[in-house]
Amino acid sequence: MTEKTPLLHYRLLSGTHDSEHAPGPAGLTVKKAQATSQRRASEQPRKLSTFFGVVIPTLLSMFSVVVFLRIGFVVGYAGLYQSIVMFLVAYLIISMTVLSVCAISTNGALDAGGAYYMISRALGPEFGGSIGIMFFFANVCGCALYVLGLVEAIIATFGIDEAGTGMGNTCHVLPVGYWWSLLYATGILMLCLLVCLVGAHIYAKATFLIFLIVMVVLATIFVSFFAVGPRAVSLPGMSANRSKPLSANFTGLKLETLIANLWADYTVDYTTGSVMTFAKVFAVMFNGCTGIMAGSNMSGDLINPSYSIPRGTLTAVVFTFVTYNLLALLVSCSCDRLLLQRDYSFMRDINIWSPIVTTGIYASTLSAAMSNLIGASRILFAIAKDNLFGGVLSPARRTSRGGNPWVSVLIAWSLVQLVLFSGKLNTIASIVTIFFLLVYAAVDLACLALEWASAPNFRPTFRYFTWHTCALGIVGCLVMIFLINAIYASISVVFMMLLLMLIHHLGPSSSWGYITQALIFHQVRKYLLMLDVRKDHVKFWRPQVLLMVANPRGSTGLITFINDMKKSGLFVLGHVKLGELDAMPSDPVQSHYDSWLTLVDVLNIKAFVNLTLADSVRHGVQHLLFISGLGGMRPNVLVLGFYDDSCPQDKLQDKKFPSCVSPLSPLSPTKESKRCVFHFPTLRGNGVGDKDSAKDLLVEEYVSVIADTVKMLKSVALARHFADFERAEVLSRSGRGQMGLFVDVWPLNLLRPDSCGYVDTCSLYLLQLACVLHMSRAWRQARLRLFLCVEAGCCLREEEEDKLRRMLKELRMTADVFTVPWDTVVALHGQRQAAIGRERHEEERMEKDQEPELAQNFPSNTTLLSDEYLCAVNLLIREHGDPPPAVRFLYLPRPPADTRRYSAYLHQLDLLTRNLGPTLLIHGVTPVITTDL
């Protein structure tokens, strides 16, 4: 047998020499996997180094609008001190995120998909899908921001104001205004769309040239601060407004200018007309830090992603941090506050050669816009390919012959076009910042969750991070998004949570792993160790049920009923498969777990599944009673179906599994995934031949299971007539007036009428289970009916009834008490007393010798009851069940000590419960009720 593990699958796809000679179908699968791997390698070779694949894309993404168009804006309004504080806060946040990115990227082999791939594979489909959508919108809004930045630069160079005069010192031919700006932005976006649809590879090849242009422009800017002398710079848009200054001064490096620019001066932004604040300026400035994922997004093209991403990203972050702070310092020393606040393109006017700055602005912003549009389309394509939203995003999976996801490109382009209607860069800067901060918080959360889960396979080679850095990054991101704009932040978080819940409930299963499972395991283990059985108390008792199921096809009614009765307790579905492991190549029960777990999902119950292999049903039940549960969470009640000759009906015949893929499969769910029926055998009596009609255990073995359970100090319940129990139909009776929902309890040992006690351990156990069922949400409308059997001429009749009512009041139970005369029934039992003799005396002695403390609760004359008496008791129960109850709770006596009387014992239970409808025969062995506070 071939073992399929993720590591083996990875090696097979790597194409080893030995696997080429694998025989049979496995060998064909290996060859196909190798062929697929080689074909993909030939189509998309990994050939980018750290510098070209990580450093350059990251620098180009971070050096775009801010470095050329918003450095003066930040210093002009915030002042040098607050500008440095903003850069420190921003880079503290992104540094924590970069450490998390480095840790995740060095924890295993990275595929194409960048940040979305890392988050989804680290946290699972719910978090991955929701954050992926947020990352998609972040790139969409980022593309719009860069397009608007380019439009702003074009208008500053070639625009004319409403009076028809120039806005700067060059040739001005372009009209300005909202609709004109929208037209220019649409044209630029159309150019980006054409490049993405036709020649995205051309852009990829041109990134190095754009990088050289940006570096040359930055060099000239730094030189200009020292080489250019003081000059007056014309302010844009001031020619028509004579009440305001027409120009501002570039003073060169002067101490007076630095002192004047140290402190903040928040005034009205001339492009949007709104008053600036620290949060608004930070939102604009932070867009210069949002490119840290650009290198990670190239993970599919890097020669060694785990090596390149940490080193390249950290290098780019350090370089941009130094550059931004040097530029802020030089701008503060050389430019008037008016120039910084009224002319965001001043770097062009103070440069030694202004056209090169214009070229740098155009190249960097256009490059960043294309990068974001391409990134948004690839993220959407990856989400659609993972099928997280079903058929909603199915069109986005379409690609051209060359593999270009053209539908995703068109969807991203249309959304960017909608964002362009905002009109101004500063208007959408807050939204872009919030989206990116949420993505960064998710990356930190992914790393933090992996660290907290203590997963053995999380051992990144990059060790310069701790859970403290992850938590600091998360807190910093969340604090900043609410400081920037509390309304936008709240809407974004709510939207992300809705996406998370949508994917959790409607998304298909995946083979990525779920971080929630690792965290739950980690915490549950701690709490289980804290759950000390020595501290158990009757006040906090709850039923913890092990339900033995021979075949779920005929047991769905009982399964759903026990799920209601467990009252937040442990519920385990147990099954015994007959056989011996020595005679089998592998454990056969392991392959059946998927069917049972899917049954739990389909029936919408809260249960565990425990299957075992044994040579007999009796030994299998013993195994499950010994091993089921863990620590203080172990079954205390065994529920068995009744042993009779009725043929069960198949309740799952028309139900099917939801479409799914095995968790061990490396493939993702697709629309071609087949729907499979339940893999349970046919029911007894529904097949052909003696084998299908035979039972797996005999009467003696069945009763022995009951006796074994009592010996192990576990309570036991026998469920009869639940084959036709339909939960929805039964619960619908609650609103039918006289035909309401009733639960009947007969707490007397009906096989021992001479023991008239109602307050022994077993009787109180019946009351408690009935009360627990009544406390469940679905059964709260039911009415409990408690039947007290008395003799008609007994003078203590009223006294016994009052005593029972007082006991119910003390136990805080609400029930209707009915007295049932049964003189004629008791008389039938009395006719057999003379025949007991020595046999009864000997049996009582044997039982008292074995368990004297329990002997009083069990009948010693079960073999001496007549069928006439049992039929009379059965008739008595049916006559006092009008309207018919949904379920009856009856007293189950202990099996006789003599194994030769097991058949008679079961025969008596059969006559007692015949035609009663859904009935639970219950025997409790431990106290479960207390009146103490």
Side-chain angles (χ1 to χ4, degrees), residues 409-425:
V409 173
L410 290 177
I411 295 175
W413 166 79
S414 61
L415 293 177
V416 174
Q417 184 63 57
L418 290 177
V419 178
L420 289 178
F421 280 94
S422 61
K424 296 297 181 181
L425 184 151

Side-chain angles (χ1 to χ4, degrees), residues 513-527:
Y514 296 80
I515 189 62
T516 51
Q517 295 298 306
L519 292 172
I520 290 172
F521 177 88
H522 190 256
Q523 292 303 116
V524 167
R525 182 188 65 86
K526 289 183 177 180
Y527 288 125

Side-chain angles (χ1 to χ4, degrees), residues 597-719:
L597 293 175
T598 308
L599 173 73
V600 171
D601 295 335
V602 170
L603 297 181
N604 193 25
I605 60 175
K606 297 178 181 179
F608 299 95
V609 174
N610 207 346
L611 313 180
T612 189
L613 180 70
D615 57 353
S616 68
V617 174
R618 181 183 181 183
H619 290 163
V621 175
Q622 290 178 0
H623 295 169
L624 294 178
L625 285 173
F626 279 124
I627 68 174
S628 293
L630 195 63
M633 293 190 66
R634 292 186 179 275
N636 53 29
V637 184
L638 175 69
V639 180
L640 302 172
F642 198 81
Y643 191 99
D644 55 24
D645 296 327
S646 62
C647 292
Q649 299 178 358
D650 192 347
K651 299 296 184 180
L652 297 178
Q653 188 173 5
D654 298 327
K655 295 183 180 180
K656 294 183 178 181
F657 280 123
S659 120
C660 59
V661 173
S662 172
L664 295 179
S665 172
L667 302 177
S668 298
T670 62
K671 63 180 180 181
E672 291 82 10
S673 297
K674 295 182 179 180
R675 297 177 64 87
C676 52
V677 296
F678 286 102
H679 296 292
F680 299 123
T682 57
L683 288 169
R684 173 174 51 85
N686 294 331
V688 179
D690 295 336
K691 183 179 179 180
D692 293 321
S693 301
K695 291 186 177 181
D696 292 333
L697 74 167
L698 300 176
V699 172
E700 291 76 11
E701 187 179 7
Y702 177 80
V703 181
S704 297
V705 170
I706 302 175
D708 294 343
T709 305
V710 175
K711 291 177 182 177
M712 298 171 66
L713 296 181
K714 308 283 187 183
S715 301
V716 64
L718 307 183

Side-chain angles (χ1 to χ4, degrees), residues 750-754 824-833 836 840 861 864-866 869:
L750 298 174
L751 300 188
R752 184 79 178 272
D754 53 332
T824 57
V825 177
V826 174
L828 294 175
H829 178 268
Q831 296 174 2
R832 298 297 302 270
Q833 296 303 310
I836 296 177
R840 173 179 177 181
N861 60 332
L864 303 176
L865 296 176
S866 66
Y869 167 76

Side-chain angles (χ1 to χ4, degrees), residues 764-781:
L764 294 178
Y765 203 98
L766 263 71
L767 291 175
Q768 181 74 329
L769 285 185
C771 183
V772 167
L773 177 66
H774 184 258
M775 292 172 65
S776 65
R777 180 177 301 178
W779 292 80
R780 285 178 182 172
Q781 301 302 320

Side-chain angles (χ1 to χ4, degrees), residues 493-503:
V493 172
V494 170
F495 178 65
M496 186 178 68
M497 296 303 295
L498 290 176
L499 288 174
L500 190 149
M501 291 187 291
L502 179 67
I503 299 174

